[in-house]
């Protein structure tokens, strides 16, 4: 079986980074793809295991391919579609694409091409070969519940702590910890983080032995505090970066971003953002949709910590190259027209029918080539280039 765990050096030498994408941009692309899978799966009523499996496929896929070669949202739809088959909760490809159309703006949805279903179905074969037919994926959810059942203490506080740890597991999918550590270790680390924030200290547990100094010694051996702190910091850094993106999206940009480096504005809906300073105060304040901090009176207020998935803003799409573009040509995302040439022939603008995803194109039909008499040997000349006429 292939090994899906990498060290930090390997994570800084991914195909995307070798292809010229910065480390920060690649992490942002991974986060956006993971959150898109979670939001799309939530709207379709899929279970947490199916969405988590799709996210793990997504992260593993881009350890072998670059974001420049495969658009992240097309890959995310393919991973969710394939994860539904593996977890026995299948959804039709056209339903996933329709849901994605309702989430993404026009600029991002144009990356699906003229036939989105064909794009996803073709990519599915590439995904299957990339993950080397290793379909089964374990997640920290199972181990989280298994460990929590052994804890002793106030059941109400224990339930709140487990809920917080569960939400941390959801957020960890937006990071690359699933490419670094086994799900058992991730579950231990996030229970440890949740116990610190909820002030629930695990002092006694079932099956405790004299050689067990800490509760996780009974389940996972040779796990140091450095490993647990590294996982916790990666999750907490995710909230800090989300906080910065929220404030940056509310302020006017200083200069137009480029297509490759333009940040995607994220609007928080039901999710909650934790600042690092609030961790020291043992009271994580949530951030509302407009970016204002709200007071937290009890631990129940962070029950929905990142339980919702941010919605991509339709007003902050990558900028496009300037200058005239011939009619019907595409610059990656937008289709737009060139200025009309002087005295053009009047061509009726016949609208094309609306597609299943609500995209209506109004480009005029391309003009037909002039009808020229056949030249010698069945060829006719157009501007010095010979083309064979089909009889």
């Amino acid at each position: 079986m292939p090994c899906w765990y990498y060290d930090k050096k390997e994570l800084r030498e991914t195909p995307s980074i070798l292809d010229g994408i910065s480390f920060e941009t690649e992490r942002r692309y991974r986060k956006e793809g993971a959150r898109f899978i979670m939001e799309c799966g939530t709207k379709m009523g899929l279970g947490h295991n199916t969405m988590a499996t799709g996210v793990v496929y997504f992260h593993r896929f881009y350890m072998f391919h670059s974001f420049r070669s495969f658009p992240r949202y097309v890959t995310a739809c393919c991973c969710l579609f394939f994860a539904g088959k593996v977890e026995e909760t299948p959804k039709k490809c056209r339903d996933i694409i329709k849901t994605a159309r309702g989430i993404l703006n026009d600029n991002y949805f144009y990356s699906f091409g003229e036939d989105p279903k064909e794009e996803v179905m073709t990519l599915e074969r590439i995904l299957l070969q990339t993950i080397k037919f290793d379909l089964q994926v374990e997640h920290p959810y199972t181990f989280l519940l298994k460990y929590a059942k052994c804890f002793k203490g106030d059941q109400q506080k224990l339930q709140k702590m487990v809920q917080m740890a569960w939400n941390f597991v959801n957020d960890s999918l937006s990071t690359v910890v699933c490419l670094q550590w086994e799900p058992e270790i991730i579950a231990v680390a996030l229970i440890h983080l949740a116990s610190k924030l909820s002030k629930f200290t695990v002092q006694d547990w079932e099956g405790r032995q004299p050689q067990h100094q800490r509760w996780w010694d009974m389940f996972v051996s040779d796990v140091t505090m450095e490993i647990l702190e590294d996982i916790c910091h990666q999750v907490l850094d995710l909230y800090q970066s989300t906080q910065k993106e929220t404030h940056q999206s509310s302020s006017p940009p200083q200069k137009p971003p480029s297509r490759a480096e333009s940040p995607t504005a994220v609007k928080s809906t039901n999710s909650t953002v934790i600042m690092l300073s609030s961790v020291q105060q043992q009271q994580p304040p949530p951030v509302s949709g407009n970016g204002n901090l709200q007071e937290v009176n009890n631990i129940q207020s962070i029950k929905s910590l990142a339980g919702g998935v941010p919605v991509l803003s339709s007003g902050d799409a990558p900028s496009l190259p300037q200058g005239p573009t011939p009619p019907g040509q595409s610059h990656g995302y937008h289709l737009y027209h060139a200025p009309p040439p002087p005295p053009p022939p009047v061509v009726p603008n016949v609208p094309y029918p609306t597609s299943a995803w609500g995209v209506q194109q109004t480009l005029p039909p391309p003009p037909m080539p002039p009808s020229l008499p056949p030249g010698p040997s069945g060829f006719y000349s157009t501007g010095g280039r010979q083309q064979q006429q089909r009889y």
Side-chain angles (χ1 to χ4, degrees), residues 210-223:
Q211 66 272 18
H212 295 159
Q213 299 180 359
R214 294 162 295 196
W215 63 266
W216 58 80
D217 292 336
M218 185 175 65
F219 306 104
V220 182
S221 60
D222 299 332
V223 177

Side-chain angles (χ1 to χ4, degrees), residues 315-337:
D316 298 278
S319 61
L320 295 168
Q322 302 297 324
T325 304
Q329 296 296 321
S330 170
H331 271 306
Y333 297 105
H334 279 298
L335 295 173
Y336 49 117
H337 305 276

